[in-house]
Amino acid sequence: MVAINQLHVFQFDYVLFATLSLLALAVISYWLRNTARGNRTVVIAWGWLPLLLLGGYFLVDAAGRHEKRRLQKRIEGLAPTYAEELRSMGHAQITPATAPDDPLYLAMIEKQIRWLQINRAVADIYTFRKSPEGNQLVVDSETDYNRDGRYSGDRERRTVIGEVWTEKDDAISKAYSGTASFDDEIFSDRWGDWVSAYAPIRNLDGSLDAVLGVDFAAEDWVAAIARARRFAIGFLAVIVTIGLASTSIISILHASLFERQKAADELLIAKNLAEAATTSKSEFLANMSHEIRTPMNGIIGMTDLLVGTNLDNQQREYLRIVKQSATSLLGLLNDILDFSKIEAGKLELESIRFGIRDCVEKTIQTLTFRASEKQLEICCRIDPNLPDTLIGDPSRLCQVLINLAGNAIKFTEHGEILINVQQDSRTGDSLRLRCEVRDSGIGIAPDKLDSIFAAFSQEDTSTTRRFGGTGLGLAICAQLVKLMGGEIWADSQKGVGTTFYFTTCFKISPTKLRSLPEIEALAGLPVLVVDDNQTNRVILDEILKGWRMKPVVVDGGPAGLAAMRSASAAGAPFPLALLDCMMPEMDGFEFARIVRSDPDLQACQLLMISSAAGQDDHAKCREVGIARYMTKPVIQSQLAEAILDVIVDSDTEPDAVDQTDSRSHLSHSEASVDTGGSADDAQSVEDGPAMKILLVEDGIVNQKVALAMLRKLPHHVVIAEDGQEAVAAFQQESFDLVLMDVQMPVMDGLEATAAIRRIEQSPARVPIIAMTASAMKGDRERCLAAGMDDYLSKPIEAQLLYEVIAKFAPANAADSATKKQ
Ligand code: ADP
């Protein structure tokens, strides 16, 4: 029999497990190195896994040993029990001479077979005694080794009593010396591999009779121990798997967090860069705009002045084209500047109180000239129920209106353009305004209706050739409307016309900007409206009824005369008639002439509302006795004032013909695009007192332009080339007004203003008007904050300049300037 140390058999399972674990870690590390670069978790895993495997070795070994001890105890426990029972049955009486069919011997064989049947783990039970030849077997039951229920074949044969068996073993020697023992080394014989327990069988006197052996199949023994080890390895594998899995997960999470952090850092850097780029872009634009505006001022101003000199027709025509080109270039510049500002998120809306009627009507009026050039009727209807004073950004609202109405004029050849402003919805003090600009022009194809709101898009490129334009206007409108919390959209039919709609949000001002208390005086006053245009009739009717007047509306001169005559015959003649200028059949002048020559009708005051001022309209009005002349679309506040003037003060001389100009409220961009102003408008302030004006301007061209404009007035102008000179001049002399350029060398306009304000002691402070080519938001505020009183943006328009001078003229001059209104 060969003894095998079963411990060696068991090492392999663990070595395999440890190798696989380390291999798995190697693979995971490799994979993580590619996905989660430079990760400390993997390094940690390389530390803990070998430690775990080392500890695991002892755990698994202990599990195997524990199982072995358990089995050993079981077998060890059985051997003395069996030995004691065989002793009590009389084992000592069995000798090698006992016959094979001895009843006692058979009983013992029978007993052993039963034990084997009960204890399936035990393979064999036998007794033996020591003899000089070796171990002499005494009782050795036949055994059903293959457990098929039969005792068959050589192997399962009963051993003859006294058969010699030469096994020598420490455990056997121990049993011979009287101690039960167990041999955990596996031994093999021709029947198989075994582990055995031995127990002494004693005689009654205590001497040794024989030794009992219990064989246990080594196969089962090894399997049980291997199972116990495998169980421990399984447990360890779960821990290793969890460890490796968490290592991977932590590494990946760590890596993704790291990546995210890195991406966030990069994003922040990119954002800062982008912001810096945007800032420098808008600064660049502001500078560019300033640089371009300055020479534009020279071109437009000088052209204006040149027109006023002695020229032949061809020169005049050339100049007209120069002026037109310069003006449209300036418009383009403003568009691009606006668009970039909006794109860069730099455009901030103002929040100021403004009168919606004045704002819309004055805006539309700036387009009257362009519309009348194409013989288009431009009408403006404002819902009488709309609150008058709103809070928001009027100049941006005007900008959108100007753009849409300007397009309407551009793309329309016949018919009329209607601007309709009404309330869309109202919650508390918030009002959503809905504006509509309708034309009867060329229309837009349905598939282009959405794309026209994108930057640089035009319905088809041929429009550029025919109508000019950049395709920026509607994009700016869309952005502005969005900024004002509204939407813009359009309806159109090719060849029929287009309607643009937009909504914007405003707050309703709790206080009115301005009220006309005398308007109450008009209540109940009959008024005749003579206009061939249906839309205008409806609008005027609505306005007049809003003032509780009693309008009678007719569509032409003959009908108007008939109405006047019948009213006069009924003893209630019309005290007032509003006349359109151009009408078929009989125009407004003709109508007035007839009225003035008819003694029954003469007393009626006449007010003309014309689409555009003709060359000699004012003179004609004076001639035929028309009290006031206004341009369409009427500005309600001005119409009210005009009516009050002619009715309340019926003695008004007919030659006090009013010429309204509505551009002063507009920001530079709109005003300069649609400029129609000329230096000739200056006569209105000529009668003011001579003022002493300090003109602070570093540019020679700009100096000349301003001087030439001022020369039309009786004022005395002193020039300072920069801020320092201005302060010096101010210290020596006193001035009635200062016109101050802002960007100048040596000392800029803001500093100079601050210095002047410091020098001034008397409470009467000299008005300082900024003149600047900067057009960025906040410039106006900066100027005012520096102590200036008003702001003109370059290119300076003569009319605006005169108005500002009149506004700040000393008290006696101011009177005459206001009276003129
Ligand atoms: P621009 O007029 O400078 O080309 P806009 O952005 O103002 O740029 O308009 C874009 C295009 O939309 C125009 O070129 C024109 O094709 C179309 N469009 C705008 N308004 C009208 C309109 N009232 N009638 C017909 N087409 C219009």
Side-chain angles (χ1 to χ4, degrees):
M1 287 185 199
V2 184
I4 306 164
N5 185 343
Q6 92 281 359
L7 267 182
H8 299 299
V9 177
F10 297 127
Q11 300 307 324
F12 179 69
D13 55 1
Y14 193 74
V15 171
L16 184 69
F17 163 72
T19 312
L20 285 179
S21 300
L22 289 171
L23 205 66
L25 180 58
V27 170
I28 288 173
S29 309
Y30 178 75
W31 172 61
L32 286 177
R33 228 187 53 178
N34 290 330
T35 50
R37 209 165 285 277
N39 206 306
R40 264 186 312 134
T41 327
V42 180
V43 179
I44 296 169
W46 273 111
W48 69 254
L49 188 67
L51 269 180
L52 182 78
L53 292 178
L54 205 67
Y57 172 80
F58 293 105
L59 175 81
V60 172
D61 192 50
R65 281 175 198 284
H66 177 265
E67 178 64 8
K68 196 173 107 184
R69 257 196 312 281
R70 198 181 64 79
L71 290 172
Q72 185 177 335
K73 267 199 189 124
R74 210 167 112 201
I75 303 164
E76 272 176 359
L78 287 175
T81 316
Y82 293 162
E84 175 52 27
E85 216 166 316
L86 289 184
R87 187 199 64 77
S88 64
M89 282 174 78
H91 183 273
Q93 292 159 38
I94 310 290
T95 66
T98 305
D101 54 354
D102 179 81
L104 179 60
Y105 175 70
L106 287 179
M108 287 190 184
I109 293 281
E110 195 51 41
K111 188 83 179 174
Q112 283 187 354
I113 289 173
R114 224 166 327 125
W115 284 338
L116 288 170
Q117 277 166 349
I118 295 166
N119 233 317
R120 308 292 284 179
V122 176
D124 203 358
I125 302 170
Y126 48 90
T127 60
F128 55 88
R129 291 193 184 105
K130 201 179 195 173
S131 80
E133 304 88 46
N135 303 309
Q136 240 179 345
L137 286 170
V138 183
V139 182
D140 181 15
S141 62
E142 54 193 292
T143 301
D144 181 14
Y145 285 108
N146 60 7
R147 305 200 189 279
D148 64 355
R150 282 180 292 121
Y151 299 91
S152 53
D154 184 33
R155 195 175 168 207
E156 299 180 356
R157 156 184 77 85
R158 185 183 309 165
T159 315
V160 186
I161 302 176
E163 192 178 296
V164 177
W165 162 53
T166 54
E167 181 62 30
K168 277 216 173 69
D169 191 293
D170 283 352
I172 295 175
S173 313
K174 250 172 133 182
Y176 277 131
S177 63
T179 316
S181 68
F182 182 82
D183 183 2
D184 69 354
E185 287 200 357
I186 297 168
F187 70 85
S188 302
D189 60 12
R190 60 194 174 111
W191 311 123
D193 305 319
W194 317 103
V195 287
S196 312
Y198 302 103
I201 303 175
R202 294 181 186 279
N203 292 318
L204 276 177
D205 59 2
S207 61
L208 188 82
D209 163 27
V211 168
L212 179 123
V214 176
D215 281 353
F216 190 83
E219 197 186 318
D220 293 349
W221 169 262
V222 171
I225 295 174
R227 241 191 336 270
R229 286 173 64 91
R230 273 205 301 276
F231 184 78
I233 289 176
F235 172 71
L236 213 60
V238 170
I239 294 180
V240 170
T241 309
I242 291 175
L244 290 181
S246 38
T247 301
S248 312
I249 292 170
I250 291 171
S251 298
I252 288 171
L253 283 181
H254 189 276
S256 89
L257 266 178
F258 177 75
E259 287 294 322
R260 223 177 286 174
Q261 185 59 42
K262 209 169 106 193
D265 289 350
E266 280 167 7
L267 213 64
L268 194 71
I269 294 171
K271 180 176 161 271
N272 290 342
L273 277 176
E275 274 172 2
T278 313
T279 313
S280 61
K281 181 179 131 197
S282 69
E283 272 166 16
F284 170 76
L285 275 167
N287 287 339
M288 275 306 288
S289 140
H290 176 265
E291 294 308 321
I292 299 172
R293 267 160 206 279
T294 308
M296 289 299 288
N297 185 33
I299 297 171
I300 295 178
M302 283 300 178
T303 313
D304 266 348
L305 294 169
L306 208 54
V307 169
T309 61
N310 280 339
L311 297 172
D312 64 30
N313 282 347
Q314 195 179 26
Q315 288 167 328
R316 201 173 291 283
E317 174 59 13
Y318 289 166
L319 277 182
R320 193 186 62 76
I321 295 171
V322 171
K323 169 89 189 273
Q324 202 178 41
S325 311
T327 308
S328 66
L329 189 57
L330 194 61
L332 192 67
L333 184 69
N334 287 328
D335 267 3
I336 293 175
L337 185 65
D338 266 353
F339 190 72
S340 325
K341 269 200 292 190
I342 299 174
E343 284 278 274
K346 290 263 169 192
L347 191 120
E348 282 166 34
L349 293 179
E350 275 192 307
S351 185
I352 54 171
R353 284 197 309 151
F354 68 99
I356 181 72
R357 290 186 173 74
D358 264 16
C359 166
V360 174
E361 288 163 347
K362 288 181 177 174
T363 303
I364 299 307
Q365 221 186 41
T366 62
L367 297 171
T368 312
F369 182 71
R370 273 171 64 192
S372 72
E373 273 183 330
K374 294 178 86 174
Q375 266 143 31
L376 298 171
E377 190 81 32
I378 186 160
C379 314
C380 179
R381 184 231 169 214
I382 299 176
D383 189 340
N385 297 319
L386 200 64
D388 189 66
T389 312
L390 302 180
I391 299 174
D393 193 331
S395 63
R396 296 302 168 183
L397 173 68
C398 293
Q399 194 176 349
V400 177
L401 276 173
I402 285 260
N403 252 306
L404 297 183
N407 274 349
I409 296 173
K410 185 156 87 175
F411 296 108
T412 304
E413 296 309 323
H414 311 283
E416 66 175 33
I417 287 143
L418 172 71
I419 290 92
N420 187 4
V421 180
Q422 57 198 9
Q423 177 177 309
D424 185 65
S425 63
R426 180 176 173 169
T427 34
D429 65 345
S430 299
L431 179 118
R432 181 178 280 263
L433 199 69
R434 178 190 162 110
C435 304
E436 198 179 310
V437 179
R438 180 185 306 160
D439 66 48
S440 50
I442 58 170
I444 302 169
D447 58 323
K448 296 283 162 53
L449 266 181
D450 287 330
S451 62
I452 49 167
F453 294 105
F456 304 109
S457 80
Q458 294 177 320
E459 196 208 350
D460 71 278
T461 36
S462 66
T463 46
T464 322
R465 262 172 278 135
R466 248 179 85 198
F467 301 101
T470 54
L472 268 181
L474 288 179
I476 294 173
C477 288
Q479 302 260 35
L480 288 176
V481 164
K482 200 168 136 206
L483 270 178
M484 291 191 277
E487 286 169 79
I488 185 165
W489 70 99
D491 259 355
S492 188
Q493 213 179 330
K494 221 42 195 159
V496 175
T498 310
T499 309
F500 279 90
Y501 303 89
F502 69 92
T503 55
T504 46
C505 293
F506 293 103
K507 289 254 173 283
I508 299 169
S509 167
T511 51
K512 274 202 163 189
L513 201 60
R514 189 174 54 110
S515 59
L516 284 169
E518 307 96 321
I519 206 121
E520 300 296 322
L522 299 178
L525 191 79
V527 53
L528 177 71
V529 176
V530 187
D531 197 323
D532 62 319
N533 183 283
Q534 155 81 11
T535 315
N536 272 330
R537 286 201 303 271
V538 171
I539 293 171
L540 279 172
D541 188 52
E542 199 174 62
I543 295 175
L544 298 169
K545 279 185 178 147
W547 298 334
R548 293 191 289 134
M549 293 176 77
K550 291 213 154 53
V552 171
V553 185
V554 297
D555 63 0
L561 288 175
M564 282 182 92
R565 288 197 176 113
S566 69
S568 161
F574 283 104
L576 174 73
L578 308 185
L579 307 179
D580 182 21
C581 179
M582 275 182 315
M583 289 182 287
E585 264 186 276
M586 182 192 294
D587 72 9
F589 298 111
E590 178 68 29
F591 182 89
R593 226 169 269 129
I594 298 175
V595 171
R596 285 280 161 259
S597 58
D598 186 331
D600 289 343
L601 309 180
Q602 246 170 14
C604 179
Q605 292 288 339
L606 299 178
L607 217 149
M608 179 164 276
I609 305 172
S610 165
S611 300
Q615 277 282 301
D616 45 0
D617 281 355
H618 291 267
K620 272 199 199 159
C621 284
R622 237 169 283 148
E623 203 179 289
V624 298
I626 292 174
R628 282 284 191 283
Y629 180 91
M630 307 183 82
T631 37
K632 271 189 205 168
V634 290
I635 296 165
Q636 292 187 33
S637 57
Q638 289 177 356
L639 179 64
E641 275 175 43
I643 295 180
L644 280 165
D645 262 11
V646 295
I647 293 298
V648 176
D649 178 17
S650 290
D651 304 334
T652 314
E653 287 299 313
D655 64 353
V657 168
D658 187 18
Q659 181 168 20
T660 50
D661 190 288
S662 50
R663 271 166 291 127
S664 52
H665 77 288
L666 289 178
S667 74
H668 62 85
S669 49
E670 298 97 15
S672 48
V673 177
D674 296 289
T675 180
S678 96
D680 294 337
D681 298 335
Q683 81 269 61
S684 53
V685 283
E686 259 174 22
D687 44 338
M691 287 163 66
K692 197 164 165 198
I693 296 177
L694 177 62
L695 171 67
V696 191
E697 170 66 70
D698 63 318
I700 294 291
V701 177
N702 286 341
Q703 271 178 22
K704 287 215 164 115
V705 170
L707 266 181
M709 288 177 177
L710 291 170
R711 207 171 288 137
K712 301 245 169 189
L713 307 178
H715 306 311
H716 173 60
V717 182
V718 173
I719 292 180
E721 301 248 327
D722 58 50
Q724 211 168 48
E725 273 190 26
V727 176
F730 191 80
Q731 276 167 327
Q732 283 160 18
E733 308 170 50
S734 67
F735 293 96
D736 296 316
L737 185 94
V738 181
L739 294 172
M740 178 79 79
D741 185 17
V742 174
Q743 282 178 321
M744 287 179 294
V746 191
M747 182 190 276
D748 70 18
L750 301 178
E751 272 181 71
T753 304
I756 289 176
R757 291 290 179 239
R758 274 197 301 275
I759 297 164
E760 269 176 335
Q761 264 136 27
S762 67
R765 56 185 238 158
V766 62
I768 302 181
I769 316 296
M771 295 193 305
T772 167
S774 298
M776 294 302 274
K777 166 150 180 87
D779 285 337
R780 183 191 175 85
E781 288 68 22
R782 254 204 310 285
C783 291
L784 297 185
M788 302 203 191
D789 299 281
D790 209 335
Y791 172 99
L792 284 172
S793 81
K794 290 178 184 170
I796 305 289
E797 279 191 57
Q799 181 61 25
L800 294 181
L801 177 65
Y802 301 146
E803 280 178 14
V804 163
I805 293 176
K807 183 168 148 198
F808 289 100
N812 50 346
D815 278 346
S816 71
T818 18
K819 188 158 172 272
K820 171 215 110 157
Q821 301 280 314

